[in-house]
Amino acid sequence: VQLVESGGGSVQAGGSLRPSCAASEHTYSRYCMAWFRQAPGKGREGVAAIDGDRRTYYADSVKGRFTISKSNAKNTYGLLLQMNGLKPEDTAVYYCAAERVVAGPFVLQEWPYSYWGQGTQVTVS
Protein backbone atom coordinates (compact mmCIF):
# COMPACT_ATOMS: atom_id res chain seq x y z
CA VAL A 1 0.00 0.00 0.00
CA GLN A 2 1.45 3.31 -1.07
CA LEU A 3 0.10 6.66 0.01
CA VAL A 4 1.36 9.96 -1.41
CA GLU A 5 0.15 13.26 0.03
CA SER A 6 0.13 16.59 -1.75
CA GLY A 7 -1.68 19.89 -1.56
CA GLY A 8 -0.40 21.35 1.67
CA GLY A 9 0.78 24.93 1.80
CA SER A 10 0.65 28.23 3.65
CA VAL A 11 -2.49 30.30 4.18
CA GLN A 12 -3.74 33.06 6.40
CA ALA A 13 -6.16 32.37 9.20
CA GLY A 14 -9.66 31.86 7.87
CA GLY A 15 -8.42 30.48 4.58
CA SER A 16 -8.84 27.05 3.01
CA LEU A 17 -6.67 24.22 1.79
CA ARG A 18 -7.44 20.79 0.37
CA PRO A 19 -4.61 18.29 0.76
CA SER A 20 -4.99 15.01 -1.07
CA CYS A 21 -3.60 11.51 -0.71
CA ALA A 22 -3.13 9.35 -3.79
CA ALA A 23 -3.75 5.64 -3.36
CA SER A 24 -4.46 2.55 -5.41
CA GLU A 25 -7.98 1.59 -6.40
CA HIS A 26 -7.83 -1.36 -4.02
CA THR A 27 -6.92 0.85 -1.06
CA TYR A 28 -9.47 3.46 -2.04
CA SER A 29 -12.35 1.04 -2.26
CA ARG A 30 -11.63 -1.35 0.60
CA TYR A 31 -9.56 0.36 3.29
CA CYS A 32 -10.35 2.64 6.15
CA MET A 33 -8.40 5.83 5.49
CA ALA A 34 -7.63 8.73 7.76
CA TRP A 35 -5.81 12.00 8.18
CA PHE A 36 -3.54 12.62 11.12
CA ARG A 37 -1.46 15.65 11.97
CA GLN A 38 1.59 16.39 14.05
CA ALA A 39 2.42 19.89 15.23
CA PRO A 40 5.95 20.81 16.31
CA GLY A 41 6.72 19.36 19.72
CA LYS A 42 3.46 17.41 19.90
CA GLY A 43 2.31 13.89 19.28
CA ARG A 44 0.41 12.73 16.23
CA GLU A 45 -3.35 13.20 16.51
CA GLY A 46 -6.24 11.89 14.46
CA VAL A 47 -8.10 14.55 12.48
CA ALA A 48 -10.65 12.72 10.35
CA ALA A 49 -11.34 9.23 9.04
CA ILE A 50 -13.57 7.51 6.50
CA ASP A 51 -14.22 3.78 6.66
CA GLY A 52 -15.00 1.24 3.97
CA ASP A 53 -18.71 2.05 4.22
CA ARG A 54 -17.98 5.78 3.75
CA ARG A 55 -18.85 6.62 7.34
CA THR A 56 -16.91 9.66 8.48
CA TYR A 57 -15.39 10.56 11.81
CA TYR A 58 -13.92 13.85 13.01
CA ALA A 59 -11.92 15.15 15.91
CA ASP A 60 -13.89 17.70 17.93
CA SER A 61 -11.35 20.38 17.09
CA VAL A 62 -12.15 20.23 13.36
CA LYS A 63 -15.86 19.38 13.27
CA GLY A 64 -17.76 21.80 11.07
CA ARG A 65 -14.56 23.07 9.45
CA PHE A 66 -12.97 19.99 7.83
CA THR A 67 -14.53 17.46 5.47
CA ILE A 68 -12.98 14.12 4.58
CA SER A 69 -13.94 12.32 1.39
CA LYS A 70 -12.74 9.70 -1.03
CA SER A 71 -12.22 10.83 -4.59
CA ASN A 72 -12.33 8.95 -7.87
CA ALA A 73 -11.68 11.38 -10.66
CA LYS A 74 -10.36 10.33 -14.05
CA ASN A 75 -9.39 6.95 -12.57
CA THR A 76 -7.20 8.62 -9.95
CA TYR A 77 -8.07 7.31 -6.54
CA GLY A 78 -7.45 9.19 -3.36
CA LEU A 79 -8.42 10.76 -0.11
CA LEU A 80 -9.22 14.44 0.28
CA LEU A 81 -9.38 16.73 3.28
CA GLN A 82 -11.22 19.97 2.63
CA MET A 83 -10.08 22.37 5.34
CA ASN A 84 -12.01 25.61 5.77
CA GLY A 85 -11.79 28.26 8.44
CA LEU A 86 -8.18 27.40 9.15
CA LYS A 87 -6.66 28.53 12.43
CA PRO A 88 -3.01 28.92 13.45
CA GLU A 89 -3.43 25.89 15.72
CA ASP A 90 -4.11 23.78 12.61
CA THR A 91 -0.46 24.24 11.63
CA ALA A 92 1.11 20.79 11.40
CA VAL A 93 2.42 18.10 9.11
CA TYR A 94 -0.61 16.22 7.84
CA TYR A 95 -0.33 12.49 7.22
CA CYS A 96 -2.55 10.09 5.32
CA ALA A 97 -2.99 6.62 6.81
CA ALA A 98 -4.75 3.43 5.73
CA GLU A 99 -5.66 0.08 7.18
CA ARG A 100 -7.83 -2.78 5.93
CA VAL A 101 -10.25 -2.73 8.87
CA VAL A 102 -10.41 -0.39 11.84
CA ALA A 103 -13.13 -0.64 14.46
CA GLY A 104 -15.19 2.52 14.83
CA PRO A 105 -14.00 3.58 18.30
CA PHE A 106 -10.38 3.51 17.16
CA VAL A 107 -10.44 5.18 13.74
CA LEU A 108 -8.81 8.36 15.04
CA GLN A 109 -6.12 6.55 16.97
CA GLU A 110 -2.68 6.01 15.49
CA TRP A 111 -2.03 2.41 16.48
CA PRO A 112 -4.41 0.52 14.14
CA TYR A 113 -2.89 1.93 10.97
CA SER A 114 -0.10 0.07 9.19
CA TYR A 115 0.33 2.28 6.15
CA TRP A 116 1.39 5.93 6.18
CA GLY A 117 2.27 8.61 3.70
CA GLN A 118 5.26 10.91 3.99
CA GLY A 119 3.27 13.94 5.12
CA THR A 120 2.51 17.38 3.76
CA GLN A 121 3.08 20.64 5.62
CA VAL A 122 0.16 22.95 6.40
CA THR A 123 1.01 26.36 7.85
CA VAL A 124 -1.62 28.86 8.99
CA SER A 125 -0.53 32.35 10.02
Side-chain angles (χ1 to χ4, degrees):
V1 174
Q2 286 191 317
L3 305 169
V4 181
E5 299 99 333
S6 61
S10 298
V11 295
Q12 293 186 335
S16 298
L17 283 172
R18 193 180 71 167
S20 61
C21 172
S24 69
E25 188 277 334
H26 179 79
T27 303
Y28 163 89
S29 61
R30 298 176 182 271
Y31 279 53
C32 177
M33 300 183 75
W35 287 98
F36 287 76
R37 66 186 180 187
Q38 187 166 20
K42 295 187 177 181
R44 197 172 295 186
E45 64 168 343
V47 174
I50 182 167
D51 66 17
D53 294 321
R54 302 294 179 104
R55 287 174 295 207
T56 58
Y57 307 80
Y58 296 94
D60 288 343
S61 59
V62 305
K63 281 181 182 176
R65 299 189 298 122
F66 290 12
T67 302
I68 190 171
S69 62
K70 287 185 174 180
S71 172
N72 173 15
K74 299 180 180 179
N75 290 326
T76 299
Y77 301 95
L79 183 70
L80 303 177
L81 185 67
Q82 179 66 48
M83 306 190 296
N84 299 327
L86 283 162
K87 304 176 181 179
E89 52 264 43
D90 294 319
T91 295
V93 177
Y94 282 70
Y95 297 91
C96 176
E99 184 55 61
R100 179 63 182 90
V101 177
V102 180
F106 308 114
V107 293
L108 293 181
Q109 296 188 27
E110 188 176 355
W111 63 266
Y113 294 89
S114 301
Y115 307 102
W116 294 84
Q118 82 287 352
T120 186
Q121 177 70 46
V122 170
T123 302
V124 185
S125 59

